[in-house]
Amino acid sequence: MTDDPKTLVSTDWLARHLSDPDLRILDASWYLPDMGREGRAEYDAAHIPGARFVDIDDLSDARSDLPHMAPPPEKFMSRMRAMGVGDGHQVVVYDGAGMFSAARIWWLFKLMGHADVAVLDGGFPKWQAEGHPVEDVAPVVRDRHMTVRRQAHLARDVTQVSSAAKLGDHEIIDARSPGRFRGEEAEPRPGMRAGHIPGSKNVHYAALLNEDGTMKAPDQLRDVFESAGIDLSKPAITTCGSGVTAAILSLAMERFGKSDHSLYDGSWSEWGQFPTLPVATGDD
């Protein structure tokens, strides 16, 4: 793969840069309730040397009833400063599943105006499998000033997505499994209707990954999107269950050079609970 400190870096790249003074590594492991795993406990047991743990549920808008919505800029800035992450740092984010939740934090950094952030390709499983060092102690942290410039065009709300669905002027791309997209599988959160946003198309995030959890090559990624019937000349809106795996689609598009995309932060957790919003099932 081609290492890009603004999108995706390999375990070899991280191993070479591990002692760089302005590198900050974040463990963003987060799991759905039915996965039976706990990110913080896994971090405490073993993590990449120097990594700080970032809690997706904490790094969210506490004023919203929806799960882990993007936080206000001042909260993001405060949390990052407390972790010693700030201006001038190259950030690398990973998770314990390989490629599941790390892209969400990558997207949050982009939303807050920070370009120098990448996801670790293959995550912690690949790092461990290759015999790279791990530790079980948290690093010593010093405050670092962070400047935040929110990039509003990277996020979409329910009104904007509803309009896009009616007008058909965007491609709305759903990262959930085909069964959930078609409405054949129950949603993991109670109270959610089954199905998808009318007019949206399905690219399960797992289709973008190799067997070892690394991301496919840019040309292969483009092929996956085009094979799903997506018109890449249109701007894209990514969505999923709660805005986590949608960010994997956003990362994939960045990898093959498509930059006109945004993320529906409320995703199905918002759309699926309101009876006044239309729902499609099957492959329609």
Side-chain angles (χ1 to χ4, degrees), residues 206-225:
L208 305 172
L209 308 179
N210 298 308
E211 289 185 6
D212 64 353
T214 57
M215 185 164 271
K216 291 179 177 177
D219 287 348
Q220 294 174 308
L221 295 173
R222 178 184 290 273
D223 287 345
V224 172
F225 281 81

Side-chain angles (χ1 to χ4, degrees), residues 101-125:
S101 55
R104 170 69 186 189
I105 297 300
W106 168 85
W107 175 79
L108 271 181
F109 269 88
K110 300 290 186 184
L111 180 67
M112 299 299 171
H114 282 259
D116 296 327
V117 55
V119 173
L120 179 63
D121 199 23
F124 196 53

Side-chain angles (χ1 to χ4, degrees), residues 130-177:
E130 293 171 346
H132 294 297
V134 299
E135 62 184 19
D136 59 2
V137 293
V140 176
V141 172
R142 294 183 178 87
D143 275 8
R144 177 81 165 237
H145 176 73
M146 171 171 276
T147 305
V148 170
R149 298 182 182 88
R150 193 176 190 276
Q151 307 297 301
H153 66 282
L154 292 179
R156 290 289 179 264
D157 63 24
V158 66
T159 302
Q160 293 167 316
V161 176
S162 180
S163 175
K166 290 175 183 176
L167 294 174
D169 57 354
H170 289 66
E171 288 284 26
I172 303 172
I173 314 172
D174 193 321
R176 293 176 301 156
S177 68

Side-chain angles (χ1 to χ4, degrees), residues 171 173 201-204 207-208 218-234 249 252-253 256 258:
E171 288 284 26
I173 314 172
K201 293 169 184 171
N202 187 211
V203 175
H204 187 207
L208 305 172
D219 287 348
Q220 294 174 308
L221 295 173
R222 178 184 290 273
D223 287 345
V224 172
F225 281 81
E226 290 180 339
S227 296
I230 290 161
D231 182 353
L232 292 173
S233 69
K234 291 182 178 181
L249 305 189
M253 285 188 279
F256 64 75
K258 182 174 175 58

Side-chain angles (χ1 to χ4, degrees), residues 3 11 26 54 65 71 98 104 106 121 160 180 219 235 241 250 271:
D3 291 306
T11 49
L26 300 181
V54 55
D65 293 332
R104 170 69 186 189
W106 168 85
D121 199 23
Q160 293 167 316
R180 289 174 66 189
D219 287 348
S250 303
W271 193 282

